[in-house]
Amino acid sequence: MAAALPAAARLWRQPARPASRAVALPAPPRRACVRGEPAEGGGGGRHDTRAPLRTSARRGAMGRAGRRLPALAAVFYGALAALVLLGVRDVLFLYEENRCSMTYMYEYPEYLKIKLPKKTARRYPAYELYLYGEGNYAEENKNLLLTGIPVLFLPGNAGSYKQVRSLGSIALRKAEDVDFKYHFNFFSVNFNEELVALYGGSLQQQTKFVHECIKVILKLYRDQEFAPTSVAIVGHSMGGLVARALLTLKNFKPELINLLITQATPHVAPVMPLDKYLTDFYTAVNNHWILKAQDLRNLTTLSVAGGFRDYQVRSGLAFLPRLSQHDSALSVVSSAVPRAWASTDHLSIVWCKELILATIRAFFDLIDENTRQITEDPKKRMSVLHHHFVRHPAKTFEENPEAFTELTGAFMWIPVKASKWTYSVYNVSNVFFLIVFLCVFFLLMSNFFFLLRILMENISHFLLQATENHTVMFTVKTDTSSWIYGCMNSNSSMCLEATDLSWRAELLPTTKVVILKLQDYTSLSHIVIQVPPTVGNKYTLDCEFFREDSRTVQLPVTHLFSFGLSSSKILLNSTGLLYNVQLQHFNRIYQAFKIYIESHCQSLKERKPSVYRLHVPWSHEDSIIVAKVPSFTEISAKLHIAQPQNDSRVPELNIYSSSDCQYEVILKTSVLQVLGQIIRFHAGALPVYVVSNIFLTYGGQLSTLMSTGQCSDFPLELVRTAKPYKVEPLISIVVFLQGFNWFREIWESLSLPEVDAAVLSSQDAWFPLVSLILFVFGTGIAYWSGVFFSTSLRLFSSLWLTLIRPTVLQKDNKLITPRRLCGVLSLALVSWTTCGAFAVFIIYLQYLFKVIKLHVNVRAEQNMLNGDSDCSKETSQNSSIYTVKNQSSTDSTLKATQSLSNSTTIAEAVNSLKMHVTILNLFTWIVLLNLPSLIYWLKNLRYSVRLDPDPCRSTAIILVCILEILMNSSTSEVKSRARNLPSTSIFQVSKQVTASNMCLLPCSVKT
C-alpha cells in the first residue's frame, strides 16, 4: 500500500500516453487542473521522473519568460498605438482657434423648387434643383422671371442644398447696396446628401444631372434682354469635383461654364479610395484636365482650401494640378486670403463670413457693364481673383487704372536729411499731401533701404517697402482710395501729376506693404503720401534707411530626429520695421516646428502690434499672426505642399516689428506635429498595414498549428510573425520596377491598382521611412484591436452565460451540407439582386454569432472540467490502488476516459476559437471598409432595391463562399484532412481583400 502511493503520484506527473501504448489506467492531462485554461491534447513525450526538481525549475523559468514576453509586447505596442493617437489628436484637436465670423440672414431663407423635365425627373428621382431667395426677393422670383446672373451651388459629401444660403444672402445685401443694378440668382442642387466621398458609384450620375440643371437654368433666362450664355459654379467638397467632371461628358459644351470656384475640394486624389469607381472617376477627370488643358483656357478656376483646421480634406489635395500651359487656375489656402487670414474647417468654409465676402466682392467685380453678366475675358477674371484672394492692395479693383493722376489739395514739403527721423501732427481736419524728396538718397545711399512710417492713433498701420535696397513704411487710414503716389521729375515743391503707386501695395492685418525697385523708377523724384483727416487723433511719420542684408537673417531648422531637444536661435535688435528670417532646409511635408517669438522693448510706451507672417513662396499657403508688443508668441510651422523639385526658394518668417524692440526667435522640432503630419498625409493607408499584419498573424497561426498541433493566441503570434522585412522588401522591389515602362504596362494589363508609393510620390508626400513607420504603426493598431476584439467577445460570452444555458460542444464532420449550400446560394442571390455589402454584412453577423456561441460553450466546458478535476484526481488515485490489488475498477476507468476525451475536445475547440477570432478580426476591417456602399444603398432604398453600380457585388459572392467554409472548419480538420484548405483559403481571402479594397492594400497584399 505504501509502495503504491509514490507510484500513483509519479503517474500523475507523467503526460497522457498515446492510445497505442498499454497503460493500466489513462490519467487526465496535467493542464486539466489549471484554473481557467483548457486541457491540452496528449503529447507523445515522457517526463523524466528521475529529475522532477530540475524539470520543475526549467518549466518555472520558461513560464516566467513566457509571461514576461507578452507584458513587454503589450508595453511596446501600446507605445506605438499611443504615438498614433497623439498624431490623431494633433490633427483633430490641436489647431488654431476659429477666427471666422458667422453669416446671418436678415430675412427668412426660402428655397423654391424648380420643376425639371419629366424625363430628367424620372431618370434622377433622388435629385432636385432649387432657387434661393429671401423675403420680397423670394416672392418676386416665384414666377421665375429672372433677370440676374445665374450661379449654381453644388454641395459635397453628405452636403445639403441649403448650404447656399450664406452666398445667396450676402450677395442679396450687396445687390441692395447698388440698388439692384446688378444681382445674382443662386441655384442649388439637392444630391440627397449622398456619401460620394466614400462611394464613387453615383459621381457620374451626379455629373450628368448637373448638366441637365445647367440647361434648365439657362432656359429660364431665354426671353430676357441680357440673357446669360453660361453659368458660374461654386462647388463645396466633392461638388467641386463633379463640376470639373462636366468637361469629361461627351455632349457637354465647355462654354456653358466660364467660372468655377471650389471650396475644400480634394482635386488631386480621394481622401479614402474605397472603391474602383471613385478612383476611376478621379483618373478620368484629372487626365482630361491634363490632356485637354488648352481647351480649358477660357474656364477660370479658383480652388480654396481650408488649412489645418480642415482635417477631413487636407489642403494639399485641394491644390489643382500644376500645368505650365494652364494659367487660368489658382489655388489658395484660406489662411492666406486677404481680409480673411483664417483657417476654416470643412463645413465652416461655406459660411465663413470673411471668405464669403471675398467671394461676393469678386463676383461683383467680374461683371461686364455691357453684357451685365460675368465677363468673358479670362485675363480680367484672373486679375479679379488675384486681387481678392492673393494680393489685395486695400483699394477697389479697377480694370484699367489711370497711368497718371492729378493731385489737388495742400502740399507739405518734408526734407529728409538723416537716416532716421520722425514727423508728428495732431487734429488734421483737411486732406493734404506729404512730399518726400528722394533724389539725394539715390546718389548718396543707393545700397540702402528707405523706410517711412506714418502712425495714427486708433487706425491701421501700413508699410511701403522699396527695393534697390530702399524701404518706406507708412501708416494711413484703411480705405479703398489711393494713398501713395510717385512724382515724376518735379523740381518744385508742388507735384500736380503723379503715378499711382497704391496698386503696388499688399494688405496685411495691420500693415500695407508696397515694394518698389527704385532702379525701375529712374524718373521718380518724390514720394507723395495722401494724409486723410485725423480729427482727434495723432499722426506720426517715421522714416529710416537701412541695408537689405542687414534685415535678412538665415535660420537653419533643426533636424527631424532632434526630437525637440535642440533648437535654433537668433536675436534681432530691431532698429527698423521689417525682418526676413529665412528658414533654411524647410521643404518637406513631414517637417514640423514650433517657432517661439519673444519681444522686449526698451520703453513702456504703447506700440502698434507686430505682424508675423510665415511665407511659403511656392504656394499660396501663408499664415499670419498678430501679436501685441511686448509678448511671447508661438507659431506652428508645417507645410501643405512640399517644395517642387525645380524650386530653390526658401520659406520666410516676415516680422513686421517695432523700431526700438528686441525679438528673440527660437525654433524647435515638434514631435507631436511630426506625428500629426504623418497621420494627416498617410492615415488613409493605415488600414492596409493593419490588414497586412493580421494576414501575417493568421499565416503564423496556421503554421504553428501544422507543426505543433496547437494554435497560438493572436497577440503572441503577432509578436512572432509581424516583421517589416516580410513586407518592405517586396514593396521596394515593386516600386523600383514601376520605373520601367514594360513592368508598368504588365501591371496595368493585370488590372492591378496603382502602387501607394507611386501615388504618394506624385503628391510629394513620400519619403523613404514612411512605409516602415506605417507598418510599425499598423502592427500596434492590429495588436490592440485584437486585444479589444478578444475582450469584447469575452464580455459578450459572459452576458450570454448569464442569460442562456449553453449547449454541449459537438463535432461537425461535414464541411458542406445542403442547408449551408442553400444559405450560400441565398446570400449570393441577395448580393446580386440588392447590395453586395449587405450580403457580406449578413454573413459577418452570422460568423460573429457562431464565434460568440463557440466561446460560450468553451467557457462552460472549461468551468465544468475545472469543477470536476478534484473528483477525477481522487478517483484516479483510488483506481491505482485498486489496480495494484488486482480489483475491478470499470466505473473509474470510464470516468477517467471521459475526462480525457472532454479535455481533448475542449483543446480542439480552443484552437478553433483562436483561429476563428483572427479571421473574424480580419473581416471586421473589410466590413468597415465596405460600410459606405451599404449606407448609400440603405439611404436610397426607396428609389431602387438594387445598388447600381455596386463595387463589391461579385467579390461579395466570393466572400460569402469563403466565410461559409472558414466558419465551419476546425483545427482538427485542418490537421487531419486539408493541408491545402488553409492555403487555398488564404489565397482566396487575399484575392477578395485585394479586389474589394484594391486602392488601399500595399504591394505585399496586392500581389
Side-chain angles (χ1 to χ4, degrees), residues 691-705 711-714 717-718 720-722 847 911-912 914-923 962 965-967 969-971 974 981-987 989-990:
V691 171
S692 300
N693 279 277
I694 298 176
F695 263 122
L696 292 174
T697 305
Y698 182 48
Q701 285 180 322
L702 292 176
S703 177
T704 304
L705 181 64
C711 184
S712 56
D713 289 325
F714 178 84
E717 195 62 41
L718 179 70
R720 190 180 69 86
T721 58
Y847 199 174
N911 289 332
S912 298
K914 293 176 181 178
M915 184 179 68
H916 287 309
V917 168
T918 302
I919 298 173
L920 193 61
N921 187 13
L922 171 65
F923 277 94
I962 293 172
I965 294 174
L966 292 177
M967 77 167 63
S969 61
S970 62
T971 55
V974 173
L981 179 60
S983 60
T984 304
S985 300
I986 293 174
F987 174 75
V989 171
S990 62

Side-chain angles (χ1 to χ4, degrees), residues 708-775:
T708 65
Q710 302 293 327
C711 184
S712 56
D713 289 325
F714 178 84
L716 295 178
E717 195 62 41
L718 179 70
V719 174
R720 190 180 69 86
T721 58
K723 307 299 181 184
Y725 61 80
K726 297 181 180 180
V727 175
E728 292 304 311
L730 185 58
I731 295 179
S732 301
I733 293 173
V734 174
V735 171
F736 172 75
L737 293 177
Q738 282 281 332
F740 299 97
N741 292 330
W742 60 268
F743 183 82
R744 195 157 50 245
E745 292 175 358
I746 295 175
W747 187 274
E748 293 175 356
S749 64
L750 296 175
S751 299
L752 294 174
E754 195 171 1
V755 183
D756 296 325
V759 175
L760 294 173
S761 297
S762 65
Q763 302 173 16
D764 296 326
W766 179 266
F767 57 95
L769 293 178
V770 65
S771 184
L772 177 61
I773 293 173
L774 292 178
F775 183 89

